[in-house]
Amino acid sequence: MEKLVSNWFNDQPLPQSYIFPPETRPGNHVIPGCSTIPVVDLSKASGHDRTGIVQQILKASREFGFFQVVNHGVSENLVNDTMNLFKEFFELPAEDKASVYSEDPKRPCRLYTSSSNYETEKVHLWRDNLRHPCHPLEECIKIWPQKPTRYRETVAAYSIEAKKLGLRILELVAEGLGLSSGFFGDKLSESVLLSVNHYPPCPDPSLTLGVSKHCDPNLLTILHQGDVHGLQVYKDGEWIGVEPLHNAFVVNIGHQLQIISNNKLKSAEHRAVTNSKVSRTTAAFFINPSDDCIIEPVKSLIDTDESPAYRAFRFKEFLLNYVSITGNPEKSLEPFKLHV
């Protein structure tokens, strides 16, 4: 528990163990926000503009691997209640968080700091993380935090809406790719993992990171980043800040969607920077295939003049490899590529 950044950060200089090597530091030239990340108005997907919205999503998924959605149908009150609850969780007294804290990466519901490999990592991340599965809800909810008192009730309602939104976006992606309705249902989107990151104010944001450069290993990520800058996407050799928009969700393509589309969609590298003035709390829902789900490029998405870019594999195999090479996003796809 004493390792949690939120327990000791006040009035402390940045410890040496949190200072990143010069080549990976964000530095002082940080782009706080940028309007180039596409914004999709999902309310238009129900009418005559549906085709245009589908093409907008596909274009963003090819060029950025990221986009934001507004008018998404998730209650603003529910989003605000849940995000306030997450902030309240990290402000709980240490004794109330102790039952959830664990340094065992195999524990399904746990509060921890930095990454899963705190003891062996060369440099620590400036963040605390609460992570637990969300579906099937009836089973998962039993292991969730019991404090704050409304945690289980509120997060359950939120997780249902987040998964519903994710499936809606995946349906639009399937339509754009020419795949059958419901293609991304069942085993391809069976599992949902919640990851809540809490970044306390940092004494020197130029030297450290909240989350290192990485790509998500899952199918699709639905993120609420609150109203504080911090998320950045790597594109064309630059870090682009993702502007926090009122009542919007950030959506990003995971590795599995890139593989299934045979590289037609892009899983983009991204990271989280810190700031010196206020804390930042974000909540991401990772939509994952089941462990035994077979992942491979869809034959209809392989053009006549090209070959499949990846071999078939079980999602569990991909995850085990991804975890073993944490910190090296360039290598996460290598064991699954077919070099023709």
Side-chain angles (χ1 to χ4, degrees):
M1 281 289 292
E2 69 279 355
K3 294 174 184 173
L4 292 173
V5 179
S6 52
N7 282 355
W8 56 261
F9 76 95
N10 274 321
D11 303 318
Q12 297 280 342
L14 186 67
Q16 184 66 36
S17 60
Y18 287 82
I19 298 176
F20 274 67
E23 66 274 12
T24 56
R25 294 174 193 168
N28 293 316
H29 183 62
V30 174
I31 305 169
C34 185
S35 60
T36 57
I37 298 293
V39 179
V40 179
D41 184 346
L42 278 187
S43 67
K44 296 180 179 179
S46 302
H48 62 276
D49 291 329
R50 183 179 179 88
T51 301
I53 294 300
V54 167
Q55 292 308 311
Q56 194 178 348
I57 288 174
L58 278 193
K59 187 173 187 290
S61 300
R62 289 190 188 108
E63 295 181 5
F64 290 87
F66 268 78
F67 54 94
Q68 300 202 63
V69 293
V70 295
N71 297 323
H72 40 67
V74 182
S75 161
E76 184 175 352
N77 286 339
L78 177 60
V79 173
N80 291 339
D81 284 350
T82 310
M83 295 305 294
N84 287 334
L85 201 67
F86 290 144
K87 293 173 186 176
E88 189 180 336
F89 171 84
F90 285 100
E91 293 167 357
L92 287 171
E95 57 268 23
D96 288 334
K97 293 184 286 191
S99 62
V100 189
Y101 181 83
S102 175
E103 296 181 16
D104 178 5
K106 294 182 180 178
R107 183 171 170 178
C109 175
R110 72 181 187 119
L111 168 66
Y112 61 98
T113 194
S114 191
S115 77
S116 296
N117 305 303
Y118 184 91
E119 295 299 336
T120 58
E121 64 194 12
K122 293 178 182 178
V123 61
H124 303 316
L125 301 173
W126 190 266
R127 67 115 185 226
D128 296 333
N129 181 267
L130 172 65
R131 181 173 296 223
H132 61 67
C134 291
H135 294 276
L137 185 57
E138 299 76 15
E139 291 300 314
C140 296
I141 198 171
K142 298 173 185 175
I143 61 170
W144 291 2
Q146 296 187 58
K147 289 184 179 180
T149 52
R150 292 175 52 249
Y151 186 95
R152 293 184 176 184
E153 171 193 351
T154 306
V155 176
Y158 188 51
S159 68
I160 290 169
E161 293 302 311
K163 184 175 185 182
K164 193 185 301 180
L165 174 60
L167 291 176
R168 184 181 173 198
I169 292 167
L170 285 168
E171 185 71 5
L172 294 169
V173 170
E175 188 174 322
L177 292 173
L179 302 174
S180 59
S181 177
F183 178 88
F184 290 109
D186 300 327
K187 283 195 170 187
L188 276 172
S189 56
E190 184 175 277
S191 170
V192 179
L193 180 71
L194 169 64
S195 177
V196 186
N197 281 320
H198 181 68
Y199 310 95
C202 179
D204 194 341
S206 70
L207 299 178
T208 191
L209 286 167
V211 176
S212 303
K213 179 176 73 170
H214 69 287
C215 292
D216 290 351
N218 51 304
L219 189 69
L220 194 77
T221 301
I222 305 291
L223 168 77
H224 193 278
Q225 64 165 340
D227 55 4
V228 181
H229 292 286
L231 175 63
Q232 296 182 334
V233 178
Y234 196 65
K235 186 179 188 298
D236 300 331
E238 286 189 316
W239 285 106
I240 300 171
V242 181
E243 184 78 25
L245 299 179
H246 177 71
N247 197 32
F249 285 100
V250 178
V251 180
N252 70 278
I253 304 302
H255 273 327
Q256 306 315 303
L257 201 44
Q258 176 173 329
I259 292 165
I260 288 167
S261 71
N262 207 46
N263 289 333
K264 288 181 171 51
L265 306 184
K266 173 187 177 183
S267 179
E269 293 177 340
H270 52 288
R271 70 182 184 183
V273 296
T274 62
N275 73 82
S276 60
K277 294 182 173 60
V278 294
S279 63
R280 177 173 179 259
T281 303
T282 67
F285 285 91
F286 300 122
I287 298 178
N288 294 298
S290 61
D291 283 351
D292 63 346
C293 185
I294 301 293
I295 307 295
E296 61 184 328
V298 178
K299 289 183 175 58
S300 64
L301 299 180
I302 303 170
D303 295 336
T304 53
D305 60 345
E306 66 180 11
S307 301
Y310 305 92
R311 65 175 175 85
F313 56 87
R314 294 187 188 277
F315 179 59
K316 185 177 182 179
E317 179 190 354
F318 187 95
L319 268 188
L320 288 172
N321 174 73
Y322 181 90
V323 171
S324 71
I325 53 126
T326 294
N328 197 335
E330 293 85 359
K331 290 188 176 180
S332 56
L333 290 172
E334 278 302 317
F336 308 95
K337 287 182 178 178
L338 291 173
H339 299 280
V340 180

